[in-house]
Amino acid sequence: MAANSSSDRQRAAQQRLQIIAGHLQRPTNYQPDITAAECKAQEGNPNVSNEERTVPRRRQDIMKWNGWGYSDSRFLFNKKGQAEFTGKRYRLSGMIIPGLKDWMEGTFGASLQHKAPATPILNSTAVQPATINEAFVEEVKATTIPFSVEAEDRVFRAHGHCLHEIFALREGKIGRVPDMVVWPSCHSDVVKIVELASKHNVCLIPYGGGTSVSSALECPPEETRSIVSLDTSQMNRILWIDEKNLTAHVEAGIVGQDLERLLNESGYCTGHEPDSMEFSSLGGWVATRASGMKKNIYGNIEDLVVHVKMVTPRGVIEKSCQGPRMSTGPDVHHFIMGSEGTLGVVTEVTLKIRPMPEYQKYGSVVFPNFEQGVACLREVAKQRCAPASIRLMDNEQFKFGHALKPQVSSIFTSFLDGLKKFYITKFKGFDPNRLCVATLLFEGDHEKVLQHEKQVYDIAAKFGGLAAGEDNGQRGYMLTFVIAYLRDLGMEYYVIGESFETSVPWDRVLDICRNVKARIIRECKDKGVQFPPLSTCRVTQTYDAGACVYFYFAFNYRGLSDPIHVSEQVEHAAREEILANGGSLSHHHGVGKLRKEWMRETVSDVGLGMLKSVKDYVDPNNIFGNRNLL
Amino acid sequence: MNKCSGHEELDILEERRQSGDLSHALRTFSPQPYKEKPPCSASDLSKRTLESQYLQYVFKESSLSMEEVKEDARLLLEEMSQNLQLGFIRLMGYTLSKVFKRLYTNIYVNMEGLNMLQQAIQESPVILMPTHRSYIDFLIISYVLFTYDIPVPVIAAGLPLAGMKLVGEILRRSGAFFIRRSIGSDKLYWAVLSEYVKTIVRTGFAPLEFFVEGLRSRTLKSVPPKLGMMHMVLEPYFKGEVFDITLVPISISYDRVLEESLLAHELLGIPKPKETTKGLFKATKVLQEDYGCMHVNFGQPLSVRELCQGKINRSQYNLTPRQVLSPDVQACVIWLAHLIVRIQEEGSYISPWSLMACVLLQCPTSTLTERGMVWSELKDRTLWLKKLALRFGAHLRWPEQVSDQNVLLSMVALHHSIVAHKGDRVCLVREEVPIRKHRLSAEEEVNRTAVAMLMLASYRNQSLHIFLRPAMLATVIQVTKSTQRDELFTFFCFLKEILSNEFIFVPGKSTQDFEEACFLMKDCGAILFSPEEVTVTEAGQEVVSFLCAFIQPFIRSYQVMLDFLTEHEIKNISEKEFHLAVRSFVVKLILSGTTENDIIIPICELQTYEALSSDIQKNVLSALRTLGVLTKFRGSKNNEYQVDKAAVKRINDILCKSLLELEKIFTHSLLLTS
């Protein structure tokens, strides 16, 4: 019996392992490819990788040009007025979500009768004609590096995923876009392009996954030179794996899901899983100081990077060895990490890798209120026993998560749900309008995971937390991947929203959550928003000395003449509130152009001067002219 | 129902007179509390306070052992903490219904203000900030809020009240928490008190009520605000522990103040009786009297967040643990506190009697005490003043549907303790001479008159804020004889500086004060002004004369005290000595000015009794300290001061010069009126 149950558990574990992998559809004709290969561009066969990798050169073939993610996956209200998620890629795909309509109507005052549809196809005439630097183009042609001046390609690379960027696309409004897109296939291609750009004074904007939420990819409207978008997506190979040192050397254009999948084939992983990992690229992570969901085990990008190669107008910067730590003056990697494409292009990265975990287990805990939840997370951090991931959602998000429960197939499950609800609210006396939930993900040895799990649940119990099952936890993480799709659905019905993050010392967590949420609500009211906004937050990472907090806000914009302006004002005010409450300018989204007005107060005059002097030395002619950060 | 400037005023006693007090006391009370208020009892509050990070930090810093200091803190909290209980609110409601109905004909409350308060209480922690003119202030707010189903407040009170047998405990259970009068440098006490107050604000346990003026005004004019409590209630906002705090200034105005004669006596140096339960019962005889109307005006709720925008940089708390750090936010606190007092002033209602007091005080004292002022003149002047007051934006509670004659007559009747109608004249009522005494000394006679005069002055003070700024401008115009705005403004500022302890000015707003004065004077046709010049109109002379005479007693009192310092060659003086010496100096001056035939008094002698008021004496001392004329000896127990004689002379010269001018006008206007 015991053996039986343990094999059951293993089977369950296997299933669970599919979960993360499950939303990443595996290419059918996949061949392992973990050898150091020659630069394919030189072989004149640039299309090979497109079949094996997620991101083709023509991204618009599989992804939305004016929304998030894959073209085949989206939320919609079917003929019965029920929400469903299309496609086959995700766990939620093809499912009915019965609670979503009521939640949207109740939370935002939205109505299915009031639609705000997007412009269906890109009108090429709305796109400014390309400013071509003929001499540069001629020389690029000579290198055989593929490039394009087509409107669709250029528009796709003119934006990230800030609300105002997507909203403008939906309205068919196109601002300044790159004049040309190039697809280097390897480091030496990049070296050539940067040399040519310097020679002909062309502005280069590196483009990785395009998931920026800091206006980092926006072309500076005042830029008069030809702007060339350097799309790294074709530099996507793992060049080697070093099993002795547990490192892998990877081209920087690889996107998260490909990197993880390829490493998994060899039994390894990086464990770096930012919420955008389906689309965001390794180079982008390095350039923005990214953070992954499971950083408690694997670390953030700065902990993972062993070696970086970056091509700048001054030449290539890299370290001479792979020593795990060095005392050689300020770490030059830290000029690269977070440089946000202002200094050069990251082309190759050596990363730490780990053997794939034997066992993964989700979990969740319900707390009577947010205060108790935060106190529990603080204690977990204090005891340094945080699971791979631990996230605390506030009451509004708890309700939101509930609304996204797919239709339950059996009466028994729904009966069980009712019973659980009764137990928590009636028997335990939790107020449904105050309770909140923490989602957990444990990873590691089977034994250790179970031990670890017990330890965390014991701490939670001290703060009034009740274990609420694996399913709730799992759904919490799944939401992470579909929430961006939901914003597109909202926009169809006059609801716009944005998210932003910060990091803050522990003693400030509750205060900052309360004050920022309240500020959002007050600002919306002051700016004439007709309906109360959704203003919600979650604590997504714990550290020794503080936490990362993520805020979401969304509102129904009917009746507003310039909703995007209002939304930007609200976000601006919320960021002011964050800074006034001891929060940081950004935990992992970066600064871009959206937040650079606060850089001076964030790093001091001298700090900013230091960064500027680096820029002046490395790129005196501002070839990397995206004007982020500084 | 009383309509006042378009807002609905409800007489809450009207309903009490129609239905039973018991059912009122037992009414269903289920107010909408602050939305984020956690379930928290009065004792939880103390527990949270003791366990707070800040107190833990203070405990560790203490020289005592952890156990000892904790126990000390616990005892302090026990002494301090309120124990708000609904039952006692009901008991209080029942008693107050009885008392109020006996004392007052009406208690008006502005419903609009109450409605706004009800909303505000749900949104953020609320601080109720009433004026403090009478003991009655203490529970009236709780009574009104209880009546209208709004959460009742916890109230900061002086510790002596806690010492009253039984009553102290009843107050405690009605929400009072008690603060020692002189805390001095007792660090632990400060820490416990401020943490207790902040815990109340942070949790939004209940609205917090405190008197920003610190103590009851003895003179019925506003008292410069105290900053300690103000700082404590604001800090949770500065430190980001709450999203916002709402301040609600409340103006409580009385037709007649319960303790009027007690206050006058106190000002003359007769100490206030200790607060005892016995004393309270003794005082029940005052319950036999009629005190007219009372007016509770709830001001517009003010968001601290909005007020402090651009004034406080909250991120200055970012780099140090918040329990350790207290950066300098004093300027903002001072500003806010003064602002609140000014709003309280603006929100207060004045009665016809206050205007009558203004007029009466401009009549020579000897006339008032002997023949009296001619009724028709008093009436005409008061009605003239009514127009001016309304022009200046006063909230005047002037009964409608009653003839002016009757309004004024009823006022005289209400204030029979101060004035009496004799034939066609109104004269001052002085205290009865005890029968045993055969003959009063001249000084005792002065005191007798002074009691009545100071009472009168107090009622004049109720409308002080209406006339103050224009009166300062009028004075400045008369004194400088200038029409240049710059010059006028300079002297205006000088006057303001000297009088800044006497009256409430929002710091750093001299220009606005001056502009306001100019605007009001222009609006009533008294002056014309251009960007450079200010000229008095022909018709404006009357206004200017009135205004000069209005503020004259203050300026004259200041000058007398400066004279005293100059004449007596004083080098060092203690506060106590100063009061005594000034008093006898003033009595002498008054006596020397009293002549038998009502001849117009020569300039050098004193017409005002207000220089006898210990309040004004105290204010002069503070003003001189601020101006650097007096320096306090370090560590002296009796507050001894060193006098800088040159400075005294300098200031007195300027004031003296101005006084000479003023006296001329004043004499002139007296000649006209009597």
Side-chain angles (χ1 to χ4, degrees), chain A residues 507-508 511 514-515 518-519 522 577 579-582, chain B residues 36 239-244 303 305 314 317-318 322:
Chain A
D507 73 312
R508 293 277 195 166
D511 291 332
R514 178 202 328 106
N515 292 353
R519 179 74 179 264
R522 184 173 286 193
E577 191 65 31
L579 299 176
N581 283 276
Chain B
E36 279 173 40
K239 292 189 170 177
E241 293 163 338
V242 293
F243 177 68
D244 199 357
S303 150
R305 174 175 277 268
R314 280 178 296 156
Y317 294 90
N318 283 358
R322 284 174 292 174

PDB file of all heavy atoms in Angstrom, chain A residues 507-508 511 514-515 518-519 522 577 579-582, chain B residues 36 239-244 303 305 314 317-318 322:
ATOM      1  N   ASP A 507       9.613  46.344   6.962  1.00  0.00           N
ATOM      2  CA  ASP A 507       8.736  47.133   7.850  1.00  0.00           C
ATOM      3  C   ASP A 507       7.825  48.065   7.069  1.00  0.00           C
ATOM      4  O   ASP A 507       6.908  48.645   7.615  1.00  0.00           O
ATOM      5  CB  ASP A 507       9.583  47.946   8.844  1.00  0.00           C
ATOM      6  CG  ASP A 507      10.290  49.115   8.184  1.00  0.00           C
ATOM      7  OD1 ASP A 507      10.906  48.910   7.118  1.00  0.00           O
ATOM      8  OD2 ASP A 507      10.221  50.232   8.728  1.00  0.00           O
ATOM      9  N   ARG A 508       8.088  48.195   5.777  1.00  0.00           N
ATOM     10  CA  ARG A 508       7.295  49.110   4.959  1.00  0.00           C
ATOM     11  C   ARG A 508       6.251  48.403   4.103  1.00  0.00           C
ATOM     12  O   ARG A 508       5.458  49.065   3.432  1.00  0.00           O
ATOM     13  CB  ARG A 508       8.234  49.847   3.997  1.00  0.00           C
ATOM     14  CG  ARG A 508       9.200  50.781   4.653  1.00  0.00           C
ATOM     15  CD  ARG A 508       8.516  52.072   4.892  1.00  0.00           C
ATOM     16  NE  ARG A 508       9.431  53.145   5.189  1.00  0.00           N
ATOM     17  CZ  ARG A 508       9.068  54.426   5.173  1.00  0.00           C
ATOM     18  NH1 ARG A 508       7.827  54.745   4.876  1.00  0.00           N
ATOM     19  NH2 ARG A 508       9.920  55.359   5.471  1.00  0.00           N
ATOM     20  N   ASP A 511       2.543  49.135   4.757  1.00  0.00           N
ATOM     21  CA  ASP A 511       2.246  50.554   4.535  1.00  0.00           C
ATOM     22  C   ASP A 511       2.235  50.880   3.049  1.00  0.00           C
ATOM     23  O   ASP A 511       1.352  51.581   2.559  1.00  0.00           O
ATOM     24  CB  ASP A 511       3.279  51.430   5.252  1.00  0.00           C
ATOM     25  CG  ASP A 511       3.135  51.346   6.765  1.00  0.00           C
ATOM     26  OD1 ASP A 511       2.002  51.089   7.223  1.00  0.00           O
ATOM     27  OD2 ASP A 511       4.134  51.522   7.472  1.00  0.00           O
ATOM     28  N   ARG A 514      -0.893  49.389   1.311  1.00  0.00           N
ATOM     29  CA  ARG A 514      -2.104  50.149   1.626  1.00  0.00           C
ATOM     30  C   ARG A 514      -2.094  51.499   0.913  1.00  0.00           C
ATOM     31  O   ARG A 514      -3.048  51.884   0.244  1.00  0.00           O
ATOM     32  CB  ARG A 514      -2.214  50.360   3.129  1.00  0.00           C
ATOM     33  CG  ARG A 514      -3.433  51.185   3.512  1.00  0.00           C
ATOM     34  CD  ARG A 514      -3.325  51.855   4.869  1.00  0.00           C
ATOM     35  NE  ARG A 514      -2.568  51.131   5.850  1.00  0.00           N
ATOM     36  CZ  ARG A 514      -1.343  51.480   6.230  1.00  0.00           C
ATOM     37  NH1 ARG A 514      -0.750  52.532   5.688  1.00  0.00           N
ATOM     38  NH2 ARG A 514      -0.711  50.786   7.147  1.00  0.00           N
ATOM     39  N   ASN A 515      -0.984  52.218   1.051  1.00  0.00           N
ATOM     40  CA  ASN A 515      -0.954  53.594   0.554  1.00  0.00           C
ATOM     41  C   ASN A 515      -1.000  53.670  -0.964  1.00  0.00           C
ATOM     42  O   ASN A 515      -1.663  54.539  -1.522  1.00  0.00           O
ATOM     43  CB  ASN A 515       0.285  54.319   1.082  1.00  0.00           C
ATOM     44  CG  ASN A 515       0.204  54.546   2.577  1.00  0.00           C
ATOM     45  OD1 ASN A 515      -0.827  54.285   3.191  1.00  0.00           O
ATOM     46  ND2 ASN A 515       1.287  55.010   3.170  1.00  0.00           N
ATOM     47  N   ALA A 518      -4.502  52.796  -2.118  1.00  0.00           N
ATOM     48  CA  ALA A 518      -5.417  53.909  -1.830  1.00  0.00           C
ATOM     49  C   ALA A 518      -5.139  55.089  -2.764  1.00  0.00           C
ATOM     50  O   ALA A 518      -6.060  55.760  -3.215  1.00  0.00           O
ATOM     51  CB  ALA A 518      -5.272  54.345  -0.380  1.00  0.00           C
ATOM     52  N   ARG A 519      -3.872  55.307  -3.059  1.00  0.00           N
ATOM     53  CA  ARG A 519      -3.519  56.426  -3.940  1.00  0.00           C
ATOM     54  C   ARG A 519      -4.113  56.210  -5.326  1.00  0.00           C
ATOM     55  O   ARG A 519      -4.643  57.127  -5.942  1.00  0.00           O
ATOM     56  CB  ARG A 519      -1.997  56.558  -4.029  1.00  0.00           C
ATOM     57  CG  ARG A 519      -1.487  57.671  -4.932  1.00  0.00           C
ATOM     58  CD  ARG A 519      -1.684  59.033  -4.300  1.00  0.00           C
ATOM     59  NE  ARG A 519      -1.180  60.105  -5.138  1.00  0.00           N
ATOM     60  CZ  ARG A 519       0.021  60.671  -5.016  1.00  0.00           C
ATOM     61  NH1 ARG A 519       0.832  60.270  -4.067  1.00  0.00           N
ATOM     62  NH2 ARG A 519       0.384  61.638  -5.813  1.00  0.00           N
ATOM     63  N   ARG A 522      -7.772  56.974  -5.172  1.00  0.00           N
ATOM     64  CA  ARG A 522      -8.035  58.406  -5.068  1.00  0.00           C
ATOM     65  C   ARG A 522      -7.722  59.123  -6.374  1.00  0.00           C
ATOM     66  O   ARG A 522      -8.484  59.978  -6.830  1.00  0.00           O
ATOM     67  CB  ARG A 522      -7.234  59.014  -3.925  1.00  0.00           C
ATOM     68  CG  ARG A 522      -7.582  60.479  -3.745  1.00  0.00           C
ATOM     69  CD  ARG A 522      -6.962  61.121  -2.537  1.00  0.00           C
ATOM     70  NE  ARG A 522      -7.606  60.705  -1.299  1.00  0.00           N
ATOM     71  CZ  ARG A 522      -7.396  61.318  -0.133  1.00  0.00           C
ATOM     72  NH1 ARG A 522      -6.585  62.338  -0.063  1.00  0.00           N
ATOM     73  NH2 ARG A 522      -7.989  60.889   0.964  1.00  0.00           N
ATOM     74  N   GLU A 577       4.060  57.725  -4.958  1.00  0.00           N
ATOM     75  CA  GLU A 577       3.657  57.195  -3.652  1.00  0.00           C
ATOM     76  C   GLU A 577       4.628  56.102  -3.212  1.00  0.00           C
ATOM     77  O   GLU A 577       5.038  56.042  -2.054  1.00  0.00           O
ATOM     78  CB  GLU A 577       2.224  56.650  -3.747  1.00  0.00           C
ATOM     79  CG  GLU A 577       1.584  56.308  -2.420  1.00  0.00           C
ATOM     80  CD  GLU A 577       1.353  57.514  -1.523  1.00  0.00           C
ATOM     81  OE1 GLU A 577       1.130  58.619  -2.047  1.00  0.00           O
ATOM     82  OE2 GLU A 577       1.438  57.356  -0.296  1.00  0.00           O
ATOM     83  N   LEU A 579       7.773  55.785  -4.009  1.00  0.00           N
ATOM     84  CA  LEU A 579       9.051  56.382  -3.613  1.00  0.00           C
ATOM     85  C   LEU A 579       8.928  57.076  -2.257  1.00  0.00           C
ATOM     86  O   LEU A 579       9.833  57.006  -1.431  1.00  0.00           O
ATOM     87  CB  LEU A 579       9.531  57.363  -4.686  1.00  0.00           C
ATOM     88  CG  LEU A 579       9.789  56.741  -6.057  1.00  0.00           C
ATOM     89  CD1 LEU A 579      10.164  57.805  -7.069  1.00  0.00           C
ATOM     90  CD2 LEU A 579      10.877  55.668  -5.982  1.00  0.00           C
ATOM     91  N   ALA A 580       7.780  57.730  -2.037  1.00  0.00           N
ATOM     92  CA  ALA A 580       7.581  58.418  -0.756  1.00  0.00           C
ATOM     93  C   ALA A 580       7.486  57.429   0.395  1.00  0.00           C
ATOM     94  O   ALA A 580       7.730  57.779   1.541  1.00  0.00           O
ATOM     95  CB  ALA A 580       6.316  59.271  -0.813  1.00  0.00           C
ATOM     96  N   ASN A 581       7.112  56.190   0.088  1.00  0.00           N
ATOM     97  CA  ASN A 581       6.959  55.188   1.130  1.00  0.00           C
ATOM     98  C   ASN A 581       8.155  54.248   1.232  1.00  0.00           C
ATOM     99  O   ASN A 581       8.055  53.151   1.778  1.00  0.00           O
ATOM    100  CB  ASN A 581       5.680  54.368   0.900  1.00  0.00           C
ATOM    101  CG  ASN A 581       4.447  55.142   1.310  1.00  0.00           C
ATOM    102  OD1 ASN A 581       4.064  55.159   2.469  1.00  0.00           O
ATOM    103  ND2 ASN A 581       3.829  55.821   0.350  1.00  0.00           N
ATOM    104  N   GLY A 582       9.263  54.664   0.682  1.00  0.00           N
ATOM    105  CA  GLY A 582      10.483  53.884   0.851  1.00  0.00           C
ATOM    106  C   GLY A 582      10.620  52.724  -0.118  1.00  0.00           C
ATOM    107  O   GLY A 582      11.433  51.835   0.107  1.00  0.00           O
TER     108      GLY A 582
ATOM    109  N   GLU B  36     -11.090  50.589   7.530  1.00  0.00           N
ATOM    110  CA  GLU B  36      -9.999  49.658   7.796  1.00  0.00           C
ATOM    111  C   GLU B  36      -9.791  49.404   9.279  1.00  0.00           C
ATOM    112  O   GLU B  36      -8.761  48.868   9.688  1.00  0.00           O
ATOM    113  CB  GLU B  36      -8.704  50.172   7.162  1.00  0.00           C
ATOM    114  CG  GLU B  36      -8.654  49.850   5.684  1.00  0.00           C
ATOM    115  CD  GLU B  36      -7.468  50.497   4.986  1.00  0.00           C
ATOM    116  OE1 GLU B  36      -6.383  50.521   5.569  1.00  0.00           O
ATOM    117  OE2 GLU B  36      -7.653  50.977   3.859  1.00  0.00           O
ATOM    118  N   LYS B 239       4.986  59.403   8.277  1.00  0.00           N
ATOM    119  CA  LYS B 239       5.763  58.175   8.188  1.00  0.00           C
ATOM    120  C   LYS B 239       5.120  57.130   7.287  1.00  0.00           C
ATOM    121  O   LYS B 239       5.577  55.995   7.226  1.00  0.00           O
ATOM    122  CB  LYS B 239       5.961  57.591   9.583  1.00  0.00           C
ATOM    123  CG  LYS B 239       6.863  58.456  10.445  1.00  0.00           C
ATOM    124  CD  LYS B 239       7.238  57.769  11.739  1.00  0.00           C
ATOM    125  CE  LYS B 239       8.330  58.554  12.443  1.00  0.00           C
ATOM    126  NZ  LYS B 239       8.673  57.973  13.747  1.00  0.00           N
ATOM    127  N   GLY B 240       4.041  57.495   6.654  1.00  0.00           N
ATOM    128  CA  GLY B 240       3.412  56.577   5.712  1.00  0.00           C
ATOM    129  C   GLY B 240       2.653  55.437   6.365  1.00  0.00           C
ATOM    130  O   GLY B 240       2.306  54.466   5.705  1.00  0.00           O
ATOM    131  N   GLU B 241       2.382  55.566   7.662  1.00  0.00           N
ATOM    132  CA  GLU B 241       1.687  54.466   8.335  1.00  0.00           C
ATOM    133  C   GLU B 241       0.186  54.487   8.088  1.00  0.00           C
ATOM    134  O   GLU B 241      -0.503  53.504   8.345  1.00  0.00           O
ATOM    135  CB  GLU B 241       1.969  54.527   9.839  1.00  0.00           C
ATOM    136  CG  GLU B 241       3.420  54.248  10.149  1.00  0.00           C
ATOM    137  CD  GLU B 241       3.837  54.689  11.536  1.00  0.00           C
ATOM    138  OE1 GLU B 241       3.171  55.563  12.115  1.00  0.00           O
ATOM    139  OE2 GLU B 241       4.826  54.157  12.041  1.00  0.00           O
ATOM    140  N   VAL B 242      -0.297  55.618   7.622  1.00  0.00           N
ATOM    141  CA  VAL B 242      -1.683  55.701   7.148  1.00  0.00           C
ATOM    142  C   VAL B 242      -1.667  56.434   5.822  1.00  0.00           C
ATOM    143  O   VAL B 242      -0.750  57.199   5.549  1.00  0.00           O
ATOM    144  CB  VAL B 242      -2.605  56.453   8.136  1.00  0.00           C
ATOM    145  CG1 VAL B 242      -2.790  55.683   9.419  1.00  0.00           C
ATOM    146  CG2 VAL B 242      -2.065  57.847   8.424  1.00  0.00           C
ATOM    147  N   PHE B 243      -2.705  56.180   5.025  1.00  0.00           N
ATOM    148  CA  PHE B 243      -2.727  56.833   3.713  1.00  0.00           C
ATOM    149  C   PHE B 243      -3.004  58.322   3.862  1.00  0.00           C
ATOM    150  O   PHE B 243      -2.420  59.149   3.191  1.00  0.00           O
ATOM    151  CB  PHE B 243      -3.797  56.201   2.826  1.00  0.00           C
ATOM    152  CG  PHE B 243      -3.916  56.874   1.490  1.00  0.00           C
ATOM    153  CD1 PHE B 243      -2.890  56.781   0.567  1.00  0.00           C
ATOM    154  CD2 PHE B 243      -5.030  57.629   1.162  1.00  0.00           C
ATOM    155  CE1 PHE B 243      -2.979  57.410  -0.668  1.00  0.00           C
ATOM    156  CE2 PHE B 243      -5.133  58.264  -0.071  1.00  0.00           C
ATOM    157  CZ  PHE B 243      -4.097  58.148  -0.982  1.00  0.00           C
ATOM    158  N   ASP B 244      -3.902  58.621   4.747  1.00  0.00           N
ATOM    159  CA  ASP B 244      -4.263  60.017   4.923  1.00  0.00           C
ATOM    160  C   ASP B 244      -4.847  60.174   6.317  1.00  0.00           C
ATOM    161  O   ASP B 244      -5.206  59.186   6.967  1.00  0.00           O
ATOM    162  CB  ASP B 244      -5.306  60.421   3.867  1.00  0.00           C
ATOM    163  CG  ASP B 244      -5.401  61.925   3.688  1.00  0.00           C
ATOM    164  OD1 ASP B 244      -4.707  62.654   4.422  1.00  0.00           O
ATOM    165  OD2 ASP B 244      -6.164  62.365   2.814  1.00  0.00           O
ATOM    166  N   SER B 303      -7.944  67.136   4.281  1.00  0.00           N
ATOM    167  CA  SER B 303      -7.026  66.021   4.083  1.00  0.00           C
ATOM    168  C   SER B 303      -5.600  66.479   4.381  1.00  0.00           C
ATOM    169  O   SER B 303      -5.098  67.403   3.758  1.00  0.00           O
ATOM    170  CB  SER B 303      -7.154  65.532   2.639  1.00  0.00           C
ATOM    171  OG  SER B 303      -5.929  65.001   2.200  1.00  0.00           O
ATOM    172  N   ARG B 305      -2.982  64.912   3.721  1.00  0.00           N
ATOM    173  CA  ARG B 305      -2.221  64.614   2.507  1.00  0.00           C
ATOM    174  C   ARG B 305      -2.238  65.799   1.546  1.00  0.00           C
ATOM    175  O   ARG B 305      -1.210  66.208   1.029  1.00  0.00           O
ATOM    176  CB  ARG B 305      -2.827  63.375   1.859  1.00  0.00           C
ATOM    177  CG  ARG B 305      -2.267  63.003   0.509  1.00  0.00           C
ATOM    178  CD  ARG B 305      -2.871  61.703   0.047  1.00  0.00           C
ATOM    179  NE  ARG B 305      -2.159  60.576   0.624  1.00  0.00           N
ATOM    180  CZ  ARG B 305      -1.136  59.972   0.034  1.00  0.00           C
ATOM    181  NH1 ARG B 305      -0.724  60.364  -1.145  1.00  0.00           N
ATOM    182  NH2 ARG B 305      -0.532  58.967   0.603  1.00  0.00           N
ATOM    183  N   ARG B 314       7.997  62.926   2.386  1.00  0.00           N
ATOM    184  CA  ARG B 314       7.890  61.713   3.206  1.00  0.00           C
ATOM    185  C   ARG B 314       9.079  60.783   3.016  1.00  0.00           C
ATOM    186  O   ARG B 314       9.341  59.947   3.856  1.00  0.00           O
ATOM    187  CB  ARG B 314       6.579  60.980   2.883  1.00  0.00           C
ATOM    188  CG  ARG B 314       5.376  61.599   3.570  1.00  0.00           C
ATOM    189  CD  ARG B 314       4.105  60.872   3.178  1.00  0.00           C
ATOM    190  NE  ARG B 314       3.834  61.018   1.755  1.00  0.00           N
ATOM    191  CZ  ARG B 314       3.109  60.159   1.049  1.00  0.00           C
ATOM    192  NH1 ARG B 314       2.594  59.109   1.615  1.00  0.00           N
ATOM    193  NH2 ARG B 314       2.914  60.363  -0.237  1.00  0.00           N
ATOM    194  N   TYR B 317      12.108  59.812   5.477  1.00  0.00           N
ATOM    195  CA  TYR B 317      12.091  58.739   6.467  1.00  0.00           C
ATOM    196  C   TYR B 317      12.642  57.434   5.899  1.00  0.00           C
ATOM    197  O   TYR B 317      12.627  56.416   6.568  1.00  0.00           O
ATOM    198  CB  TYR B 317      10.660  58.498   6.964  1.00  0.00           C
ATOM    199  CG  TYR B 317      10.060  59.647   7.742  1.00  0.00           C
ATOM    200  CD1 TYR B 317       9.352  60.654   7.101  1.00  0.00           C
ATOM    201  CD2 TYR B 317      10.198  59.717   9.132  1.00  0.00           C
ATOM    202  CE1 TYR B 317       8.797  61.704   7.809  1.00  0.00           C
ATOM    203  CE2 TYR B 317       9.651  60.760   9.847  1.00  0.00           C
ATOM    204  CZ  TYR B 317       8.948  61.746   9.188  1.00  0.00           C
ATOM    205  OH  TYR B 317       8.405  62.783   9.894  1.00  0.00           O
ATOM    206  N   ASN B 318      13.092  57.472   4.645  1.00  0.00           N
ATOM    207  CA  ASN B 318      13.426  56.211   3.974  1.00  0.00           C
ATOM    208  C   ASN B 318      14.683  55.521   4.485  1.00  0.00           C
ATOM    209  O   ASN B 318      14.806  54.309   4.382  1.00  0.00           O
ATOM    210  CB  ASN B 318      13.597  56.440   2.465  1.00  0.00           C
ATOM    211  CG  ASN B 318      12.262  56.589   1.768  1.00  0.00           C
ATOM    212  OD1 ASN B 318      11.227  56.478   2.410  1.00  0.00           O
ATOM    213  ND2 ASN B 318      12.274  56.843   0.483  1.00  0.00           N
ATOM    214  N   ARG B 322      11.933  53.820  11.055  1.00  0.00           N
ATOM    215  CA  ARG B 322      11.040  54.925  11.354  1.00  0.00           C
ATOM    216  C   ARG B 322      10.865  55.161  12.846  1.00  0.00           C
ATOM    217  O   ARG B 322      10.509  56.245  13.269  1.00  0.00           O
ATOM    218  CB  ARG B 322       9.691  54.693  10.679  1.00  0.00           C
ATOM    219  CG  ARG B 322       9.749  54.975   9.200  1.00  0.00           C
ATOM    220  CD  ARG B 322       8.474  54.608   8.517  1.00  0.00           C
ATOM    221  NE  ARG B 322       8.253  53.166   8.512  1.00  0.00           N
ATOM    222  CZ  ARG B 322       7.154  52.589   8.085  1.00  0.00           C
ATOM    223  NH1 ARG B 322       6.161  53.328   7.665  1.00  0.00           N
ATOM    224  NH2 ARG B 322       7.031  51.280   8.091  1.00  0.00           N
TER     225      ARG B 322
END
